């Protein structure tokens, strides 16, 4: 089965399952409201409590389809992990419930349906939808792994971008494609070191011959544009004639990593950089409100934990409980970040500024435990409340490292266009400690370009389980 047919079927099944779950959840909410005895019924239990609720259930099913579709929850193939979809699913349930409450308030004089059922419905539908979607998510992965990747992709270019795309195709079975081979964009193009020489089939100028000898090619992706623009036009035309999907990575991608958008003026497409959501004043205000509320709650909840950890730190090792360190923040301005001391006193007196390593001998016993569970970061709620940091954002680096990385890595300083965070997109993907700075930068810039309040909540939720490379 082709990828496109499989994706269509998966989307249809998801729609039917969601609609059925929404419909049945109304009746489950009615049962909980009137039949379990858990709630006091002021006017007594109706003789036929389920009568008339088929109308409300039908409306709930229709609202579910429309809202989840607007939240792009029927797009296939699904990408990422299941818990990454949870915030949007919960948001969808909230919107459906809110819609039902509005409809009931309008119908108040024409129906005796209970608004209490709708309130219970929110919790019932949240649980049932997450269970249903979790099962479907797993089934889609299993089906994709068992299916043969019959759809083949030819890559024109042997650069790092081509290698990265190939790894993505190989890693995610839901894409249902495999890379048949690579073509050099120019005869003297130097291949990325991760691309096997055996997978390089020839040069772009030999595209026609190579395509004929490569079965089941459904897509051609150009990652490194050939010098000859006429050759690129010929390849695109040949793809069109043979019903092969043609895609090209914009040259701008190699210059800047930001998202791009297309603007059309009199049928002439203009490629430009998309404005970051955090460049808008309204979004900054919302994020600051989120930070203040989160920091106050964090300080309140963590106070007893901090007290216990402070006693354990003082008992094990002489020295201060809190450790202040200069980091680089928004606008490249330095600030003092606060942490619970997890290493012996004067740990860097001999080595200078270095990254923490796995099984770092400088750590204390309680310090190793705190780092493994991210507890040493708790005092940074104070940094958030002061405005030096945000709950979510790129992790702040020390000035010594910023000078080094900005000289070695292009666009590194762009990560200082927003407040640094206690946690971030890079951290929940294990990109912390002594890991690739380039990969970490790419994750940080992706977060800045795709920021939303729900993304922040998603990262905060995943931080509770993010222990990879926590040392």
């Amino acid at each position: 089965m082709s990828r496109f047919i499989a994706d269509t079927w998966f989307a249809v099944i998801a729609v039917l399952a969601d609609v059925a779950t929404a419909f049945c959840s109304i009746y489950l909410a009615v049962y909980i409201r009137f039949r379990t005895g858990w709630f006091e019924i002021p006017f007594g239990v109706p003789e036929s409590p389920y009568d008339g609720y088929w109308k409300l259930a039908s409306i709930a099913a229709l609202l579910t389809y429309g809202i989840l579709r607007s939240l792009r929850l029927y797009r296939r193939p699904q990408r990422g992990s299941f818990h990454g979809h949870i915030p949007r699913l919960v948001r969808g349930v909230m919107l459906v419930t809110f819609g039902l409450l509005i409809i009931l308030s309008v119908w108040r004089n024409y129906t005796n349906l209970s608004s209490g059922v709708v309130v219970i419905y929110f919790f019932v539908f949240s649980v049932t939808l997450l269970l249903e979607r979790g099962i479907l998510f797993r089934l889609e992965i299993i089906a994709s792994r068992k299916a043969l990747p019959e759809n083949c992709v030819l890559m024109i270019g042997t650069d790092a971008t081509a290698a990265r795309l190939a790894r993505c195709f190989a890693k995610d079975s839901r894409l249902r494609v495999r890379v048949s081979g690579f073509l050099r964009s120019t005869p003297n193009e130097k291949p990325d070191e991760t691309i096997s020489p055996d997978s390089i089939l020839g040069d772009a100028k030999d595209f026609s011959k190579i395509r004929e000898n490569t079965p089941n090619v459904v897509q051609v992706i150009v990652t490194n544009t050939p010098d000859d623009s006429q050759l690129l036009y010929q390849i695109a035309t040949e793809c069109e004639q043979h019903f092969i999907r043609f895609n090209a990575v914009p040259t701008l991608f190699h210059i800047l990593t930001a998202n791009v958008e297309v603007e059309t003026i009199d049928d002439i497409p203009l490629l430009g950089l998309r404005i970051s959501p955090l460049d808008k004043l309204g979004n900054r205000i919302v994020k600051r409100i989120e930070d203040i509320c989160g920091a106050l709650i964090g300080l309140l909840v963590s106070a007893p934990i901090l007290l216990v950890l402070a006693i354990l730190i003082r008992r094990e090792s002489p020295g201060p409980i809190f450790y202040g360190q200069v980091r680089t923040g928004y606008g490249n301005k330095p600030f003092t970040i606060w942490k619970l001391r997890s290493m012996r006193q004067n740990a860097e007196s001999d080595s200078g500024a270095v990254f923490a390593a796995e099984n770092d001998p400088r750590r204390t016993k309680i310090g190793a435990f705190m780092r493994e569970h991210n507890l040493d970061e708790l005092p940074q709620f104070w940094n958030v409340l002061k405005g030096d940091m945000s709950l979510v954002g790129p992790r702040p680096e020390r000035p010594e490292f910023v000078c080094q990385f900005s000289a070695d890595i292009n666009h590194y300083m762009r990560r200082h266009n927003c407040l640094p965070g206690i946690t971030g997109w890079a951290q929940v993907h294990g990109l912390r400690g002594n890991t690739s700075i380039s990969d970490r930068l790419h994750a940080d810039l992706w977060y800045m370009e795709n920021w939303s309040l729900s993304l922040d909540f998603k990262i905060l939720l995943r931080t509770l389980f993010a222990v990879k490379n926590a040392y």
Side-chain angles (χ1 to χ4, degrees):
M1 184 185 298
S2 73
R3 166 192 156 185
F4 304 105
I5 296 176
D7 289 345
T8 301
W9 274 110
F10 283 143
V12 169
I13 292 171
V15 170
L16 295 176
D18 290 347
V19 167
T21 301
F23 190 93
C24 295
S25 293
I26 286 288
Y27 283 93
L28 183 55
V30 173
Y31 173 80
I32 293 173
R33 178 77 173 93
F34 296 116
R35 292 301 191 190
T36 59
W38 296 346
F39 303 94
E40 182 180 349
I41 313 298
F43 304 105
V45 177
E47 291 184 6
S48 301
Y50 299 103
D51 286 354
Y53 278 97
W54 68 268
K55 298 177 183 178
L56 192 64
S58 299
I59 294 172
L62 291 173
L63 283 175
T64 296
Y65 169 70
I67 289 172
L68 296 191
R69 186 175 186 274
S70 68
L71 293 174
R72 299 177 297 175
L73 286 164
Y74 295 123
R75 288 192 174 184
R76 294 298 187 273
Q78 296 189 84
R79 303 298 307 278
S81 59
F82 173 67
H83 55 255
H85 296 267
I86 291 178
R88 277 188 294 162
L89 288 169
V90 174
R91 192 196 319 171
V93 174
M94 291 176 63
L95 292 173
V96 171
T97 306
F98 185 66
L100 292 177
L101 288 173
I102 292 176
I103 291 172
L104 276 187
S105 67
V106 174
W107 280 0
R108 181 172 297 175
N109 297 327
Y110 307 98
T111 182
N112 59 354
L113 300 182
S114 170
S115 58
V117 167
V118 178
V119 174
I120 297 172
Y121 174 78
F122 169 76
F123 299 99
V124 172
F125 190 33
S126 296
V127 173
T128 54
L129 182 65
L130 290 178
L131 286 174
E132 171 247 307
R133 276 303 187 108
I135 293 171
L136 283 183
F137 189 88
R138 192 61 191 168
L139 289 176
E140 287 186 30
I141 292 178
I142 293 173
S144 299
R145 286 176 178 170
K146 290 184 177 180
L148 294 175
E150 299 173 349
N151 306 300
C152 300
V153 175
L154 275 179
M155 311 285 288
I156 298 181
T158 58
D159 54 352
T161 303
R164 181 175 157 195
L165 280 173
R167 288 194 297 270
C168 181
F169 289 139
K171 182 178 180 181
D172 196 338
S173 60
R174 290 168 294 181
L175 295 175
R176 292 175 177 264
V177 295
R178 63 182 177 86
V179 177
S180 293
F182 300 82
L183 279 67
R184 288 181 290 265
S185 59
T186 57
N188 57 353
E189 181 183 22
K190 185 178 180 181
D192 183 86
E193 59 183 12
T194 61
I195 296 177
S196 169
D198 296 336
S199 62
I200 300 176
L201 307 179
D203 299 332
K205 61 182 179 62
D206 304 319
F207 173 77
S208 296
K209 180 180 178 181
I210 294 172
R211 180 195 60 76
E212 292 174 357
N213 295 326
T214 306
N216 301 325
V217 175
V218 298
Q219 187 176 16
V220 170
I221 301 178
V222 181
T223 63
N224 194 11
T225 307
D227 296 334
D228 186 356
S229 58
Q230 185 62 30
L231 174 60
L232 186 63
Y233 175 77
Q234 291 174 359
I235 293 174
T237 302
E238 185 172 343
C239 288
E240 183 181 13
Q241 293 172 346
H242 292 86
F243 305 101
I244 296 173
R245 188 178 178 187
F246 177 86
N247 297 97
V249 177
T251 304
L252 193 64
F253 179 83
H254 300 281
I255 304 172
L256 296 171
T257 60
N259 285 337
V260 295
E261 61 182 359
V262 178
E263 177 184 4
T264 302
I265 298 179
D266 196 19
D267 295 332
I268 300 176
L270 302 178
L271 195 66
L273 298 182
R274 183 177 301 166
I275 297 175
S276 170
L278 291 174
D279 289 336
K280 298 178 181 179
L281 178 61
N283 287 340
R284 291 191 180 190
I285 293 173
V286 170
K287 188 168 176 60
R288 183 58 186 152
I289 294 172
E290 172 198 14
D291 288 339
I292 293 174
C293 295
L296 290 173
I297 295 172
L299 287 171
L300 181 64
V301 172
S302 65
I305 302 174
L306 287 170
L307 179 61
V308 173
L309 292 175
I311 295 173
L312 295 175
I313 292 170
R314 181 56 62 88
R315 286 187 60 184
E316 180 178 0
S317 169
I321 295 170
F322 297 100
Y323 175 63
Q325 190 178 71
V326 176
R327 297 287 179 99
T328 302
Y330 176 71
N332 202 32
K333 295 180 181 178
F335 72 97
T336 300
I337 192 173
W338 291 101
K339 307 174 74 172
L340 289 172
R341 183 171 60 86
S342 58
M343 296 189 178
R344 57 180 170 78
Q345 197 172 4
N346 301 319
E348 294 184 338
S349 57
D350 298 329
S351 62
V354 293
F355 279 120
E358 190 171 5
N359 300 319
D360 198 314
R362 300 173 299 169
R363 297 179 306 175
T364 60
K365 292 181 180 179
I366 183 62
F369 174 81
M370 290 191 300
R371 282 177 170 267
E372 182 180 352
H373 297 88
N374 303 309
L375 297 177
D376 60 320
E377 315 284 359
L378 291 178
Q380 289 164 36
F381 285 121
W382 175 248
N383 287 111
V384 174
L385 196 61
K386 286 176 58 183
D388 294 330
M389 295 178 65
S390 175
L391 292 175
V392 182
R395 282 295 294 169
E397 293 287 1
R398 300 170 69 171
E400 302 94 324
F401 295 140
V402 171
C403 291
Q404 175 186 342
F405 299 151
S406 61
D408 297 339
I409 303 173
N410 292 333
H411 323 302
Y412 183 81
M413 295 305 293
R414 285 188 55 227
R415 69 196 300 274
H416 297 105
N417 286 339
C418 73
L419 284 172
I422 296 180
T423 185
W425 190 242
Q427 281 63 45
V428 298
H429 285 84
L431 296 171
R432 57 196 297 184
N434 194 18
T435 55
S436 169
I437 303 301
S438 296
D439 290 346
R440 203 183 308 179
L441 173 63
H442 185 271
D444 289 338
L445 296 184
W446 184 93
Y447 165 78
M448 293 167 60
E449 294 157 4
N450 295 274
W451 177 86
S452 67
L453 205 56
S454 61
L455 178 60
D456 275 359
F457 291 150
K458 171 181 174 179
I459 293 172
L460 290 171
L461 179 64
R462 292 184 61 175
T463 299
L464 300 175
F465 310 98
V467 296
K468 185 178 180 180
N469 296 324
Y471 46 77

